[in-house]
RNA sequence: GCGGAUGUGGUGAAAUUGGUAUACACGCCAGACUUAGGAUCUGGUGCCGCAAGGUGUGGAAGUUCGAGUCUUCUCAUCCGCACCA
């Protein structure tokens, strides 16, 4: 048999398609596995990262099919998004055509790699049917108060001309195009993800063990829970008068209530409402107003470079001492965290310290180290002991935190508070290629939900995409509609949804039987059976964005009564990047490898084998052309040596005792590979060692020529390898085993029983020699044999201790 | 700064509870078959050394009969977050 990847792969891909080989069964009494890889954006072509992702999920899916599970392994396309519009601007192609052409191309690539996806459940999130149900969920969420509209300061990308969620701002820049973002005041829709902040944080515990620690930590940090004290600061008489009594004061949040007696100034964010009031009412000098304007318009990156501020000429009263404390504006105070105002304790906070130094503000220390002296050159931020703090003097600063909170609560001047870094998810985008937000603006009724029977609110196709403004807004007719409530003329919302909304529930849609796709998003019964996802596989880059949003939607859907569980993904496998020449593959670096070219030259099985063999899945994978050749050579040998195998439709029975040493060794290696393979899918995901085991077994088989041993070996090995190199294995199996061997094989313990065993002999832990003894030899005899063998090294030494580790080694402890 | 991870041959990487370090593969060297080889097969290959032997898992110390594995410290690299009060 001569190996030809082209003819074999085509043959089996056609066979699988014709036989609907990978469609899940609707028999819900069978045990199930839901294997999901993160679906791709239809960018045009697959890249090696995709190949790695889907090779992994495909291996899981195929393994569990062999184990007789009912397997759901679906694929779709996350097909809304800006690149479709960017392509339109660049090439004049319609976003819809561009998207669906790409999908067609990429689907062909998928199937030419032999991925065992359910073809009948393929979907694209830009399908109108998908939009229909998504809009329906949006309406439900609005009714529940989980979606709201408000005016606020938003992250605006000047290049993409759209708003970004906080999660989409990376180091102050747009996650997609790297343009520095600016703040813009706009009306936006928000999901109330903060309402679930605590649950999203606490439920991370449920994911321990199933999710990588790194991802859990990243989510924990992102949610950023911190406990502390919130209290009001009140203006003194003079300041009240200055402000025309419009404000009594403002509230602040601190995680360091123990430093309360060290407060020497307070600071507001430049965007704070009191500041705005003072500007509007000309209560500040032109010079100060100019300074504030500069602070507000500086990009967040530049704002971090140096601390700056300005005094407002106001004072508040210290809540405990009643002393006057000056109020400043400081550029490091963030409007969107806490209340946008802080109490400043320069003696015990680095930022406050820098600011006080710059503007020559007082520095009042109230905590000192237990051992050392306080330094005047920096803030002391460690745990210490309180002084200058009235009744709290001599108290440990950690302990003082709760005591002082109690004190504030007892006096009813403040209370224990929890703050989160997590903010509500801004979901509206001023772009065309997204799911329209199903609302209508009516002069009489205000913001009105579209009626569910009118869904989907589909996108118009006759649009002009220029890159200037929102194409929906510019469309001559689309936005004009009737108010669903009063029937009068109204204007349709022209914002579309963030594409992360689609990816937040697609895994639920896959559970739905396609025959009901028209009528329902999914059914309780189907969800109950298929969810949660047993193995979710994808890139670490989604650690926060997608995975947090999907968890949020799951909890919302639970509270809306659609589903009955808290977390969607039981096990998460985050794959490493694919590198070439030490760097991530990218077009700009010119170090990409085109999957199609690899398939053309070596075949899909070679690409799959290399990817799984070269590194464990969570690690980075360095592309290596000659190692790819090596993978190809292995497959060729594996295929061609199947000529040693006899045709059979059941696993051969072999009398182990009657075999030669080489034959026994070959069987042992084969069964070792089998044992390894069974661990891989549940615990370790180390496909590389599983494949190494198969290679060892192949090497061992090649040292003997018993055709029954060859046949048994191939029965097992081609089954182990089927998830990795399916085309090759199906071809061997159909030729030799009538496709009967893709099922679990019982491990025979007899092959691991050996007559003799080799033990290492070491002196003081250093290996010197080895001995071969009968497996059941007594320790006493083992020692005797070992001593003879090591006589050379024991001579003239005093033997202090003898250690026998059964089946491993002998160690002599000597002195001399 | 905070958090997470990773350091083992020329390279990608192996190594149950601490128990013969470097499996498997790439590369390299030698040989065989060949008109030829980027095909195939066989053998070799951590480092120093002719050898005996020594040495060796980023570095230092510790626990132990025995440490890649456990403990402490340290160095380097990568990733994520970052003025979050």
């Amino acid at each position: 048999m001569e190996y030809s990847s082209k003819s074999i792969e085509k043959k089996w891909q056609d066979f699988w398609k014709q036989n609907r080989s990978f469609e899940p069964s609707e028999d819900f009494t069978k045990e199930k596995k839901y294997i999901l890889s993160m679906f791709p954006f239809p960018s045009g072509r697959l890249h090696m990262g995709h190949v790695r992702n889907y090779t992994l999920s495909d291996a899981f899916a195929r393994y569990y099919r062999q184990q007789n599970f009912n397997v759901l392994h679906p694929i779709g396309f996350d097909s809304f998004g800006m690149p479709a519009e960017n392509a339109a601007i660049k090439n004049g192609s319609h976003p819809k055509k561009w998207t669906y052409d790409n999908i067609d191309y990429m689907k062909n690539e998928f199937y030419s790699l032999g991925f065992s996806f359910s073809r009948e459940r393929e979907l694209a999130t830009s399908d109108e049917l998908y939009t229909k149900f998504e809009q329906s969920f949006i309406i439900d969420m609005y009714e529940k108060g989980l979606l709201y509209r408000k005016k606020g300061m938003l992250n605006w990308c000047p290049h993409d001309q759209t708003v970004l969620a906080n999660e989409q701002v990376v180091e102050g820049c747009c996650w997609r195009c790297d343009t520095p973002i600016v703040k813009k005041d706009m009306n936006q829709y928000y999901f109330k993800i903060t309402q679930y902040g605590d649950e999203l944080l606490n439920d991370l515990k449920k994911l321990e063990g199933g999710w990588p620690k790194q991802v859990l930590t990243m989510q924990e940090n992102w949610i950023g829970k911190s406990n502390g004290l919130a209290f009001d600061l009140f203006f003194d008489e003079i300041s009240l008068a200055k402000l025309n009594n419009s404000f009594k004061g403002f509230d602040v949040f601190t995680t360091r209530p123990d430093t309360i007696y060290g407060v020497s100034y307070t600071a507001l964010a430049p965007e704070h409402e009191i500041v705005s009031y003072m500007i509007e009412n000309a209560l500040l000098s032109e010079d100060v107003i100019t300074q504030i304007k500069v602070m507000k318009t500086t990009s967040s990156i530049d704002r971090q470079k140096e601390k700056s501020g300005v005094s407002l000429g106001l004072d508040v009263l210290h809540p405990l001492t009643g002393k006057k404390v000056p109020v400043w504006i400081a550029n490091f105070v963030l409007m969107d965290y806490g209340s946008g105002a802080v109490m400043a304790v320069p003696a015990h906070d680095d930022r406050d310290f820098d600011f006080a130094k710059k503007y020559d503000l007082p520095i009042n220390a109230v905590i000192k180290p237990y051992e050392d002296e306080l330094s005047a050159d920096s803030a002391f931020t460690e745990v210490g002991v309180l002084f200058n703090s009235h009744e709290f003097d001599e108290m440990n600063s950690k302990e003082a935190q709760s005591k002082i909170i109690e004190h504030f609560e007892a006096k009813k001047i403040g209370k224990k508070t929890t703050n989160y870094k997590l903010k509500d998810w801004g979901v509206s985008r001023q772009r065309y290629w997204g799911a329209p937000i199903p609302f209508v603006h009516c002069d009489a009724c205000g913001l009105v939900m579209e009626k569910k029977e009118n869904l989907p609110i589909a996108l118009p196709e006759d649009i002009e995409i220029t890159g200037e403004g929102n194409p929906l807004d510019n469309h001559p007719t689309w936005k004009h509609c009737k108010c669903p409530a009063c029937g009068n003329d109204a204007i349709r919302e022209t914002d579309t949804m963030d594409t992360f909304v689609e990816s937040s529930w697609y895994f639920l849609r896959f559970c739905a039987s396609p025959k009901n796709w028209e009528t329902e998003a999914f059914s309780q019964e189907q969800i109950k059976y298929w969810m949660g996802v047993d193995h979710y596989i994808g890139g670490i880059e989604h650690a926060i964005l997608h995975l947090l949003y999907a968890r949020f939607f799951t909890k919302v859907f639970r509270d809306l009564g659609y589903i009955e569980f808290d977390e969607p993904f039981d096990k998460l496998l985050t794959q490493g990047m694919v590198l070439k020449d030490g760097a991530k593959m990218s077009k700009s670096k010119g170090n990409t490898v085109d999957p199609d070219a690899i398939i053309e030259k070596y075949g899909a099985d070679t690409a799959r084998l290399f990817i799984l063999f070269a590194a464990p899945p969570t690690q980075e994978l360095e592309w290596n052309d000659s190692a790819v050749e090596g993978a190809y050579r292995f497959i060729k040998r594996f295929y061609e040596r199947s000529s040693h195998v006899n045709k059979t439709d059941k696993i051969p029975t072999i009398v182990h005792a009657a075999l030669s040493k080489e034959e026994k060794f070959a069987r042992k290696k084969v069964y070792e590979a089998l044992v390894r393979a069974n661990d891989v899918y549940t615990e370790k995901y180390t496909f590389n060692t599983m494949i190494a085991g198969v290679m060892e077994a192949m090497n061992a088989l090649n040292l003997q020529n018993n055709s029954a041993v060859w046949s048994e070996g191939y029965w097992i090995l081609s089954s182990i390898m089927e998830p990795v190199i399916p085309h090759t294995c199906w071809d061997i199996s159909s030729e030799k085993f009538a496709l009967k061997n893709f099922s679990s094989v019982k491990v025979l313990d007899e092959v691991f029983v050996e007559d003799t065993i080799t033990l290492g002999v070491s002196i003081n832990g250093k290996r010197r020699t080895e001995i071969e003894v009968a497996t059941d030899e007594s320790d006493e005899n083992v020692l005797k044999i070992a001593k003879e063998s090591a006589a050379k090294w024991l001579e003239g030494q005093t033997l202090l201790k003898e250690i026998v580790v059964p089946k491993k080694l002998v160690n002599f402890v000597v002195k001399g």
Side-chain angles (χ1 to χ4, degrees), chain A residues 223-267:
Chain A
I223 296 165
K225 181 178 184 171
S226 55
N227 295 314
L229 170 70
F231 61 93
D232 286 326
L233 287 163
F234 296 101
F235 290 116
D236 70 347
E237 293 296 325
I238 304 166
S239 303
L240 279 172
K242 273 191 198 168
L243 292 167
N244 311 316
N245 283 309
S246 295
F247 298 92
K248 286 183 179 154
F250 53 88
D251 67 324
V252 294
F253 172 74
T254 180
T255 55
R256 293 294 307 274
D258 50 320
T259 63
I260 187 73
Y261 284 99
V263 173
S264 60
Y265 63 98
T266 65

Side-chain angles (χ1 to χ4, degrees), chain A residues 667-675 712 716 746 748 751:
Chain A
R667 286 194 87 200
K668 185 182 139 206
K669 283 290 180 186
V670 166
Y671 278 92
E672 272 178 9
L674 178 62
V675 170
E712 182 200 37
I716 293 170
K746 195 166 167 276
L748 301 176
V751 306

Side-chain angles (χ1 to χ4, degrees), chain A residues 455-626:
Chain A
L455 302 181
I457 303 304
L459 291 168
E461 295 202 16
D462 54 333
I463 37 105
E464 217 182 323
I465 296 185
T466 57
E468 307 264 319
N470 179 349
L472 287 179
D473 205 30
N474 296 340
H475 190 277
T477 56
W478 185 79
K479 69 180 171 186
H480 299 289
C481 63
K482 298 291 176 198
C483 170
C486 69
N488 288 327
D489 285 352
I491 300 289
R492 202 172 276 302
E493 175 59 64
T494 57
D495 282 359
T496 51
M497 278 185 273
D498 184 358
T499 58
F500 279 93
V501 178
E502 284 89 65
S503 53
S504 294
W505 67 282
Y506 77 111
F507 46 92
L508 299 173
R509 179 64 167 174
F510 282 140
C511 298
S513 170
K515 49 179 197 278
N516 303 331
W517 271 13
E518 294 279 340
T519 53
E520 61 186 16
F522 44 75
S523 77
Q524 289 262 7
E525 187 203 11
Q526 291 155 351
I527 293 283
K528 220 173 201 164
Y529 175 71
W530 287 113
M531 289 297 289
V533 174
D534 293 276
H535 290 281
Y536 194 32
I537 302 156
I540 185 81
E541 66 272 21
H542 295 106
I544 293 172
L545 289 160
H546 162 57
L547 289 169
L548 188 68
Y549 295 150
R551 294 181 61 223
F552 164 62
F553 258 60
T554 300
K555 290 170 194 303
V556 170
F557 277 25
R558 177 201 60 200
D559 292 346
L560 290 170
Y562 298 146
I563 59 179
E564 292 177 349
F565 50 89
D566 303 320
E567 288 291 337
F569 312 125
D570 296 344
K571 286 198 173 168
L572 174 69
L573 174 58
T574 48
Q575 75 196 46
M577 280 190 301
V578 183
L579 309 179
K580 180 140 194 280
D581 310 320
K584 186 179 177 173
M585 282 189 187
S586 76
K587 275 186 201 151
S588 59
K589 288 196 197 88
N591 62 344
T592 55
V593 177
D594 179 16
D596 288 348
I598 298 296
I599 295 169
E600 173 64 23
K601 192 168 178 192
Y602 303 104
D605 281 349
T606 296
R608 298 170 58 123
L609 177 63
F610 168 75
I611 277 179
L612 291 180
F613 181 56
T618 53
Q619 265 175 56
E620 287 175 343
L621 173 77
E622 174 72 34
W623 191 266
N624 178 331
D625 289 325
S626 50

